[in-house]
């Protein structure tokens, strides 16, 4: 029997005498027949028929992962021999058993389910055990021996910039810099030359994690007919399905992914994860269902939370506050793997232009690999960090110019139905009414700069996408699909691949279908997130479900209504425009007594044309941007928010409290106002945590880079005692691209909270904390500097020198641009250029 676990996984069964026998290594099968032959080979060795279990043994197996204690090391040897013979153990696998890499983005396929040769952060998984109990699996982990060759660790983006070798990954734009971006829209230097004032500022946004109530969990089953089913608390069943097919080399049609209702996601369950693939592999090897539930500490290791981001902002303005040019730099701490990092980097520069008019704009973004848990998307993906920087700097500029911050913002909003400097198309734009609501509600004009020392008001605004304009894997297929079935009893079933993660998306789909068909929402059944039963939806991320899946459901319901209308109109001998659906009936709008129940109408339509089933799908409109990088930022619609925060600051302790927040959100149109307000208030709660206390901190003692607080006991997050009073205003400015005019609400209202709190602290005590979280220690430090007559500020002091690539220059719409970069050719132009010389010959 092999003692080096990297030479192949081992599935173990026990004979009646208690002796352990090991089956031959089982590699991921390329086709199902091959998979079943391998299982039969195990059966020959063990004397068992395919998947036959000893009925005296528990059927369910439990998985635990052995994780690296080192931030960066080569794996020299893995010995699993002792674990294989431990009580209750049924299989042990290592990285050699899962050699195919995966990742959420096509450009960052850099992860393995189990590390085959190198670990890149403390917590990187190295081996996995399946046993008859969680306790047995945990005990067996101590019996797996791993020899490491420790490598130098990189602790920060600044170190990554200064240390291009040794590289954490063998790909990336420059050494340990994963991604480098340099985009210029218009002549920025010209804009700065026209400015009456130019300001430069540095900001830092600390990293934090999602903290869902439910940890990550997955359960996999391999059926006798060679089909894999996995139930997982994922936000993206479609992308998990893709990753499983790739890594396990299974035909996609033989994999079923069921996304269970999530106990919170916030972006943290958007990647395909190691543990999901591992339990699938173990189920295939053992023929038993295998389950894993990560501990809270392991969730901190998985992370994929907010990128810690250093930002430098230079903005030129006229005396009235009109922006003439903006130059924005960001440096993201990406951790050990790519994840969504390329998209995250672009997002730190994409949406600065959709709130205020920015005629010339330059963005330079960099993401560094470091030996810490990988970062990815958290609520607001990539945009809270730059929004914090921009909104605080806007306040500083307003003070410098002697302007009211609210009035300055109102004067220079982006107009609706326009195109920005970086070629983002704006539809409806309700930020103006949002500002007006919170200014009036908070009595801003009489209280700003007028409150007693230690109390203050701060204002900030924001915008967010209602779904991304492009899929992760570029293709021409719809982003969301819906199948709708009308049954003879009057019920309607909606099948859709979107995932319920607590945001109420299932109910929104029911409301939309019920509205079109005139039904009670309780008569609509919603079946979601099952790759065998539902059409593809790309997932619950980027606040996309209400708009995108909602539009697909709207189309399917309207098509069903057309089918039923035609049958009823023939029966009643009426023109179809007179047929209406309401209160569970289908009737003549001019003579309401002439009609029938919805159930009878469905039966009539079914008798005329067969089963009543329709489909709907949604693909976003194409963005006008054509340059490299234009795929991040476009959206069918942008939501807008404005927030005023009131704070109290204790000068003796530096403790900041937020007693009240006024927030207005441009929702387009509310599908369910109560649910919308719940999302807004949830954003306030999460924003307070990010503003005041939440941060991912790692101990750098002897370069170990161990997470300082991987526990709910020490990682501080607001409780009900810290939650403030919230006054919520919903601004309805229907957007033509949304179902019934609806736009997103799940993420946008989070963004203005952190800068509003920072601006309020300045109003209260006259100090600037240009980074989050705004902890008491930082406030006290700034107050001490103020008392000494020094700059009353705490924040970053510099931005590393980075070798930026040659900038991609894109003329703006008002410069006569066409959305392409200078010198850029389209694919058709390139093809034509290649063909012409041949014709000349």
């Amino acid at each position: 029997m092999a003692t080096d676990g990297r030479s192949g996984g081992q599935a173990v069964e026990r004979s009646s005498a208690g002796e352990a026998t090991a089956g031959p290594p089982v590699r991921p099968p390329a086709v199902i027949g091959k998979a079943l032959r391998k299982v039969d080979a195990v059966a020959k060795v063990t004397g068992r028929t395919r998947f036959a279990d000893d009925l005296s043994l528990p059927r369910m197996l439990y998985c635990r992962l052995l994780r690296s204690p080192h931030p960066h090391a080569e794996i020299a040897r893995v010995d699993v021999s002792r674990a294989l013979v431990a009580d209750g153990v049924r299989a042990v696998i290592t990285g050699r058993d899962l050699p195919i890499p995966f990742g959420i983005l096509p450009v960052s396929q850099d992860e393995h389910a189990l590390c085959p040769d190198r670990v890149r952060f403390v917590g990187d998984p190295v081996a996995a055990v399946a046993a008859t109990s969680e306790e047995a699996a945990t005990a067996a982990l101590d019996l797996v021996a791993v020899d490491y060759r420790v490598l130098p660790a990189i602790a920060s983006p600044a170190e990554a910039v200064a240390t291009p070798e040794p590289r954490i990954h063998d790909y990336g734009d420059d050494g340990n810099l994963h991604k480098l971006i340099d985009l210029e829209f218009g002549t920025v230097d010209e804009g700065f030359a026209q400015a009456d004032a130019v300001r430069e500022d540095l900001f830092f946004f600390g990293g934090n994690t999602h903290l869902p109530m439910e940890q990550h969990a997955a359960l996999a089953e391999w059926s006798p007919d060679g089909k894999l089913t996995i139930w997982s608390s994922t936000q993206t069943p479609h992308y998990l399905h893709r990753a499983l097919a790739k890594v396990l080399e299974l035909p996609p049609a033989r994999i079923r992914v069921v996304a269970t209702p999530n106990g919170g996601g916030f972006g943290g369950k958007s990647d395909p994860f190691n543990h999901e693939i591992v339990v699938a592999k173990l189920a295939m090897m053992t023929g038993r269902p295998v389950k894993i539930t990560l501990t809270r500490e392991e969730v901190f290791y998985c992370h994929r939370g907010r990128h810690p981001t250093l930002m430098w902002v230079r903005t030129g303005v006229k005396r009235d506050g009109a922006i003439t040019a903006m130059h924005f730099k960001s440096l993201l701490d990406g951790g050990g793997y790519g994840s969504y990092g390329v998209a995250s980097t672009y997002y730190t520069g994409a949406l600065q232009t959709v709130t205020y008019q920015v005629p010339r704009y330059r963005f330079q973004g960099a993401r560094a690999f470091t030996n810490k848990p990988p970062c990815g998307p958290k609520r607001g993906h990539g945009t809270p960090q730059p929004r914090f920087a921009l909104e605080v700097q806007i306040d500083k500029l307003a003070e410098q110019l002697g302007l009211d911050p609210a009035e300055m913002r109102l004067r220079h909003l982006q107009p609706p139905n326009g195109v920005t400097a970086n070629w983002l198309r704006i539809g409806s734009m309700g930020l103006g009414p949002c500002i007006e609501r919170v200014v009036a509600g908070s009595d801003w004009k009489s209280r700003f700069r007028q409150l007693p020392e230690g109390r203050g008001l701060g204002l900030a605004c924001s915008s967010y996408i209602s779904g991304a304009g492009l899929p992760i894997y570029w293709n021409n297929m719809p982003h969301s699909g819906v199948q709708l079935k009308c049954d003879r009893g009057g019920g309607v079933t909606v099948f859709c691949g979107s995932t319920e993660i607590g945001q109420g998306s299932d109910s929104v789909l029911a409301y939309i279908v019920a509205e079109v068909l005139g039904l009670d929402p309780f008569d609509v059944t919603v079946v979601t997130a099952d790759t065998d039963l539902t059409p593809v939806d790309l997932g619950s991320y980027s606040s996309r479900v209400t708009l995108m899946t909602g539009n697909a459901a709207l189309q399917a319901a309207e098509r069903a209504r057309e089918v039923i209308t035609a049958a009823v109109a023939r029966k009643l001998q009426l023109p179809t425009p007179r047929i209406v659906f309401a209160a569970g009936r289908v009737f003549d709008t001019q003579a309401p007594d002439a009609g029938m129940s919805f159930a009878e109408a469905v039966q009539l339509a079914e008798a005329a044309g067969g089963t009543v089933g329709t489909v709907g799908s949604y693909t976003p409109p194409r963005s006008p941007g054509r340059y490299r990088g234009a795929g991040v930022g476009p959206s069918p619609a942008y939501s807008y928010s404005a927030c005023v925060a009131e704070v109290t600051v204790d000068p003796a302790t530096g403790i900041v409290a937020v007693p009240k927040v006024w927030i207005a959100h441009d929702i387009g149109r509310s599908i369910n106002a109560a649910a919308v307000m719940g999302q807004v208030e949830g954003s306030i709660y999460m924003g307070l945590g990010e503003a005041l206390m939440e941060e991912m901190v790692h101990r750098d003692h002897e370069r170990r880079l161990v997470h300082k607080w991987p526990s709910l006991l020490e990682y501080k997050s607001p409780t009900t005692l810290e939650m403030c009073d919230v006054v919520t205003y919903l601004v309805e400015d229907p957007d033509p691209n949304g179902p019934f005019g609806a736009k997103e609400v799940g993420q946008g209202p989070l963004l203005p909270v952190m800068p509003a709190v920072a601006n309020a602290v300045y109003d209260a005590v006259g100090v600037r904390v240009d980074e989050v979280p705004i902890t008491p220690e930082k406030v006290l430090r700034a107050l001490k500097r103020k008392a000494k007559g020094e700059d009353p500020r705490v924040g970053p002091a510099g931005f590393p020198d980075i070798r930026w690539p040659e900038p991609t220059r894109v003329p703006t719409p008002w410069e006569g641009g066409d959305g392409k970069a200078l010198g850029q050719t389209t694919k058709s132009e390139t093809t034509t250029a290649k063909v012409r010389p041949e014709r000349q010959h």
Side-chain angles (χ1 to χ4, degrees):
M1 181 169 62
T3 58
D4 184 345
R6 295 201 295 154
S7 65
Q10 297 289 313
V12 180
E13 297 289 355
R14 294 191 179 278
S15 68
S16 58
E19 297 175 351
T21 58
V26 181
R27 296 244 176 237
V31 295
I32 296 305
K34 184 177 179 182
L36 295 178
R37 285 196 297 274
K38 298 240 180 196
V39 174
D40 286 335
V42 175
K44 288 180 180 179
V45 173
T46 61
R48 298 173 180 271
T49 58
R50 185 182 296 168
F51 302 134
D53 272 328
D54 185 336
L55 295 180
S56 66
L57 296 175
R59 176 163 173 74
M60 178 72 73
L61 298 181
Y62 298 85
C63 173
R64 291 303 307 274
L65 300 175
L66 180 67
R67 297 181 178 273
S68 167
H70 303 289
H72 199 197
E74 291 180 348
I75 299 173
R77 187 180 70 97
V78 182
D79 184 350
V80 302
S81 57
R82 293 174 62 212
L84 279 168
V85 297
D87 288 342
V89 171
R90 292 293 174 264
V92 182
I93 58 173
T94 66
R96 184 62 66 89
D97 302 296
L98 293 161
I100 299 174
F102 69 97
I104 185 64
L105 299 184
V107 295
S108 301
Q109 300 284 299
D110 59 0
E111 298 186 59
H112 287 83
L114 297 169
C115 299
D117 48 27
R118 193 197 300 192
V119 295
R120 293 175 171 88
F121 66 93
V122 173
D124 225 354
V126 175
V129 174
T132 54
S133 70
E134 216 169 12
E135 293 77 11
T138 302
L141 294 182
D142 294 335
L143 303 178
V144 178
V146 185
D147 293 338
Y148 295 97
R149 285 192 286 268
V150 177
L151 299 172
I154 292 177
S156 69
E159 281 188 31
V161 172
T163 314
E165 298 289 343
R167 301 181 74 177
I168 295 175
H169 287 281
D170 59 4
Y171 79 100
D173 286 352
D174 186 15
N176 282 307
L177 292 179
H178 176 201
K179 187 63 183 177
L180 289 169
I181 302 164
D182 196 332
L183 297 169
E184 185 173 14
F185 305 92
T187 308
V188 173
D189 289 341
E190 185 179 296
F192 285 125
Q194 296 176 9
D196 295 321
V198 177
R199 183 178 184 91
E200 293 183 11
D201 287 290
L202 282 161
F203 301 93
F204 178 72
F205 200 106
N208 47 66
T209 195
H210 315 83
L211 217 66
M213 292 293 288
E214 176 200 44
Q215 299 108 282
H216 298 62
L219 189 156
E221 183 177 44
W222 178 250
S223 67
D225 60 351
K227 185 160 188 175
L228 174 69
T229 301
I230 182 166
W231 294 263
S232 181
S233 57
T234 178
Q235 296 177 231
T236 53
H238 172 64
Y239 291 122
L240 174 57
H241 190 267
R242 290 184 64 110
L244 289 166
K246 178 188 178 186
V247 177
L248 301 177
E249 296 183 286
L250 287 172
R254 290 287 181 161
I255 300 173
R256 179 187 182 191
V257 176
V258 181
T260 58
N262 276 208
F266 313 114
K269 298 172 183 175
S270 298
D271 288 71
F273 280 95
N274 315 72
H275 64 274
E276 294 167 318
I277 298 171
V278 165
V279 293
K281 175 66 175 177
L282 288 168
M284 293 171 64
M285 290 179 60
T286 62
R288 294 186 182 189
V290 181
K291 176 182 179 180
I292 186 169
T293 301
L294 301 188
T295 65
R296 180 63 64 178
E297 183 173 348
E298 287 180 300
V299 175
F300 276 93
Y301 295 147
C302 286
H303 188 41
R304 313 301 162 108
R306 186 88 69 216
H307 284 77
T309 304
L310 176 67
M311 295 161 285
W312 174 91
V313 195
R314 186 174 191 235
T315 304
V317 293
K318 291 290 192 181
R319 288 185 179 86
D320 66 351
I323 296 172
T324 61
M326 181 182 294
H327 185 180
F328 195 98
K329 295 181 185 178
S330 62
L331 176 58
L332 290 73
D333 185 340
Y337 291 97
S339 184
Y340 284 85
V342 171
S344 306
T345 309
Y346 276 108
Y347 269 125
T348 60
L351 301 189
Q352 278 83 318
T353 60
V354 298
T355 44
Y356 316 114
Q357 296 180 55
V358 182
R360 303 168 188 85
Y361 177 57
R362 186 174 184 183
F363 168 58
Q364 293 175 300
R367 182 181 192 262
F369 283 127
T370 60
N371 293 115
K372 291 186 283 189
C375 297
K378 185 188 174 187
R379 200 172 193 170
H381 188 191
T383 63
Q385 302 98 314
R387 183 54 56 180
F388 172 79
L390 177 59
E391 293 297 319
V392 173
Q393 190 185 61
I394 290 288
D395 252 45
K396 293 182 178 184
L397 283 164
E399 182 178 46
Q400 187 175 329
L401 297 170
L403 301 174
D404 180 280
E407 291 298 328
M408 177 175 160
R409 287 173 168 88
L410 278 168
R411 286 179 193 172
H412 305 294
L413 298 177
Q414 279 284 9
N417 305 312
V419 178
T420 68
N422 56 337
W423 294 90
L424 302 178
R425 182 181 286 115
I426 297 173
S428 64
M429 205 285 193
L431 182 54
C434 287
I435 296 174
E436 292 167 353
R437 293 282 187 91
V438 297
V439 164
S442 63
D443 197 12
W444 173 269
K445 292 183 179 179
S446 64
R447 299 176 71 218
F448 177 64
R449 296 283 191 263
Q450 304 298 318
L451 294 175
E453 182 76 10
R455 292 178 59 196
L457 292 179
L459 170 71
C461 302
S462 70
S463 178
Y464 196 62
I465 60 176
S466 298
L470 288 172
I472 291 173
Y473 290 81
W474 288 18
N475 59 70
N476 295 321
M477 291 181 284
H479 291 211
S480 188
V482 163
Q483 293 174 329
L484 190 143
K485 176 182 72 71
C486 299
D487 65 58
R488 299 174 186 179
V492 174
T493 305
V494 182
F495 297 89
C496 175
S498 62
T499 308
E500 175 63 66
I501 58 172
Q503 82 280 42
S505 63
D506 284 5
S507 60
V508 166
L509 298 180
Y511 300 148
I512 289 173
V513 171
E515 180 71 18
V516 173
L517 298 179
L519 299 173
D520 187 314
F522 287 102
D523 291 329
V524 180
T525 299
V526 180
V527 178
T528 58
D530 186 325
T531 58
D532 263 14
L533 302 180
T534 61
V536 168
D537 177 81
L538 299 184
S540 291
Y541 62 94
S542 296
S543 276
R544 57 180 301 283
V545 176
T546 292
L547 190 141
M548 296 194 177
T549 310
N551 270 324
L554 182 66
Q555 185 182 75
E558 288 175 339
R559 288 173 173 174
R561 186 176 61 187
E562 290 174 7
V563 172
I564 297 168
T565 296
V568 173
R570 284 193 299 270
K571 175 70 173 179
L572 301 181
Q573 298 182 341
L574 294 171
T576 55
R578 284 176 55 178
I579 304 298
V580 295
F581 292 64
R585 296 183 67 245
V586 183
F587 54 89
D588 180 3
T589 186
Q590 296 182 12
D593 290 339
M596 61 193 74
S597 69
F598 180 78
E600 291 170 327
V602 171
Q603 294 168 21
L604 198 66
E606 187 171 343
T611 300
V612 181
T614 58
V615 298
S617 60
Y618 180 76
T619 301
R622 189 176 180 188
S623 167
R626 300 288 184 270
Y627 56 91
R628 182 177 177 84
V632 176
S635 179
Y638 297 92
S639 73
Y640 292 90
S641 303
C643 173
V644 170
E646 181 173 349
V647 305
T648 62
V649 181
D650 185 340
T653 63
I655 293 175
V656 178
V658 183
K660 195 166 186 177
V661 163
W662 296 262
I663 188 164
H665 183 69
D666 169 21
I667 184 61
R669 175 167 288 163
S670 297
I671 301 295
N672 179 332
V676 169
M677 294 178 77
Q679 285 291 297
V680 172
E681 292 172 7
S683 291
I684 298 294
Y685 166 81
M686 184 170 280
L688 291 178
E690 296 200 29
L692 299 176
M693 60 189 76
E694 293 190 36
E695 58 182 335
M696 294 280 285
V697 179
H698 295 80
R699 301 181 189 273
D700 197 8
H701 178 65
E702 296 181 352
R703 313 301 287 167
R704 299 293 291 185
L705 299 182
V706 178
H707 198 295
K708 191 174 183 180
W709 299 316
S711 156
L712 289 182
L713 291 175
E714 291 86 12
Y715 181 91
K716 299 306 178 187
S717 180
T719 68
T720 54
L721 298 178
E722 286 79 39
M723 183 58 182
C724 62
D725 291 337
V726 180
V727 179
T728 303
Y729 307 96
L730 300 183
V731 173
E732 293 199 312
D733 182 12
D735 194 286
N737 284 334
F740 303 111
K743 299 196 286 190
E744 79 86 32
V745 67
Q747 304 187 58
L750 165 76
L751 274 62
V753 178
M754 293 76 78
V757 170
N759 290 334
V761 168
Y762 179 72
D763 185 40
V765 290
V767 301
R768 285 286 181 187
V769 180
D770 286 341
E771 60 182 54
V772 293
I774 303 169
T775 61
E777 295 85 354
K778 295 172 186 176
V779 175
L780 280 177
R781 204 182 320 149
L783 286 170
K784 288 178 181 178
R785 290 177 180 175
K786 181 183 177 183
K788 293 178 180 178
E790 301 172 355
D791 182 13
R793 173 187 179 273
V794 168
F799 196 97
D801 290 329
I802 294 174
R803 293 185 301 180
W804 299 103
E806 191 68 24
T808 298
R809 294 186 169 86
V810 184
T812 62
W814 36 93
E815 291 175 331
D818 58 1
K820 294 188 292 188
L822 293 175
Q824 176 183 340
T825 58
T826 64
K827 187 176 291 186
S828 60
E829 289 170 339
T830 304
T831 303
T832 303
K834 290 179 179 178
V835 170
R836 279 175 182 163
E838 296 175 3
R839 288 178 177 174
Q840 291 171 355
H841 286 87

